[in-house]
Amino acid sequence: MPRPLSVQLYTVRDQLVADREGTLRRLAGLGYGAVEAYDVLDDPKGLRRIADDLGLAVSGTHAGQLLGPDPGPVLDAVATLGTDLAIVPAGIPPEEFTSRDGLARTADRLNSLADVAARHGIRIGYHNHWWEIEPRFDDGGAGLLHAVDLLAGLLDSAVFLEVDTYWAAVGGADVPALLRRLGDRVRALHLKDGPGTKEDPNVAVGGGTMPVPEILAAAPDAWRIVEFDSCAGDGDTLFDELAASRAYLTSLAAA
């Protein structure tokens, strides 16, 4: 059975503050079948209850708090949400991705978290922005590789990657080729679109510069998660863009 299309709740962060249940109901009404949480400690029981009532799965959660001194309560919250995927989305200094020693330290940190998480039945993932892509390293016969390529080779097999496809492109990657190199290390994709710049707002998936069909073909088994970091226009415009994103992705799946 194919996985439902998910949406990262950071997309609707302002709407959630105003009306969490109404916002989730609106996402379900658009046809999304799953959500990815972004603040795991913000009432996970309540979010799980609403999601269950609406028939929404929780595809995973961002959990930057895992980098804090006590990951135990964070992992308990992840389990409460009903997902086994906990993703570190930020918190590791960007300069750590500019040297081999920094990449080794980053891998050690994530690998140590994976051991703790495994005892809770949870897998740890890492989510990229552009700063894990821009630095390149000469890896002998393979030529120049992105920092995230080297990081993947240092990670324990239990640690997965959630590739933000838009930030990867902004950082200079050929995204389908990157996904093919990373292979089954990639468990989730953030799908967003736009002009391919750091500053400009996102547009509906399929309405910008991203080679979406090729991206999906390069990681066929990964969760598909729609995200907007920002969107031009008001809240209704955002939901219109979310609807258009789902319609486009659904049309690709049906083709």
Side-chain angles (χ1 to χ4, degrees):
M1 180 182 222
R3 288 171 170 156
L5 186 62
S6 185
V7 59
Q8 163 56 244
L9 291 180
Y10 183 77
T11 302
V12 291
R13 54 198 177 275
D14 295 334
Q15 292 79 7
L16 288 170
V17 171
D19 180 4
R20 181 169 65 170
E21 184 165 356
T23 299
L24 292 171
R25 187 175 300 279
R26 194 167 180 182
L27 293 175
L30 292 178
Y32 285 93
V35 294
E36 182 181 69
Y38 74 95
D39 186 356
V40 67
L41 295 177
D42 182 17
D43 187 21
K45 288 182 180 179
L47 178 59
R48 173 73 182 276
R49 176 185 57 78
I50 297 169
D52 285 349
D53 288 347
L54 294 172
L56 291 168
V58 178
S59 60
T61 181
H62 283 191
Q65 302 96 327
L66 285 167
L67 297 175
D70 184 7
V74 184
L75 293 167
D76 289 341
V78 175
T80 297
L81 284 173
T83 179
D84 62 352
L85 301 183
I87 300 136
V88 175
I92 296 173
E95 55 267 24
E96 289 288 75
F97 298 91
T98 63
S99 71
R100 292 179 183 272
D101 287 346
L103 289 169
R105 287 190 295 269
T106 299
D108 287 346
R109 196 169 186 186
L110 294 171
N111 290 341
S112 65
L113 280 174
D115 292 337
V116 176
R119 296 196 286 272
H120 292 252
I122 292 167
R123 290 192 64 181
I124 295 295
Y126 184 75
H127 169 91
N128 67 280
H129 292 78
W130 65 86
W131 53 81
E132 302 92 346
I133 308 297
E134 285 182 344
R136 298 198 182 199
F137 298 83
D138 189 344
D139 201 42
L144 288 176
L145 294 175
H146 300 285
V148 73
D149 284 293
L150 272 64
L151 176 65
L154 298 170
L155 291 173
D156 185 277
S157 60
V159 181
F160 68 94
L161 294 173
E162 176 179 73
V163 174
D164 188 305
T165 59
Y166 189 74
W167 287 131
V170 169
D174 175 335
V175 181
L178 174 66
L179 293 171
R180 287 191 292 270
R181 288 197 304 274
L182 296 174
D184 59 9
R185 174 77 69 181
V186 179
R187 294 289 302 274
L189 298 176
H190 269 201
L191 301 173
K192 61 181 73 162
D193 216 332
T197 62
K198 294 176 184 175
E199 300 83 12
D200 292 301
N202 298 122
V203 302
V205 177
T209 60
M210 296 298 291
V212 180
E214 292 83 357
I215 286 170
L216 298 179
D221 298 323
W223 275 99
R224 281 94 162 91
I225 302 157
V226 173
E227 183 187 38
F228 286 70
D229 289 309
S230 63
C231 177
D234 59 17
D236 286 335
T237 301
L238 173 60
F239 282 100
D240 289 343
E241 296 286 83
L242 282 166
S245 298
R246 183 189 176 276
Y248 174 71
L249 291 167
T250 301
S251 72
L252 291 180

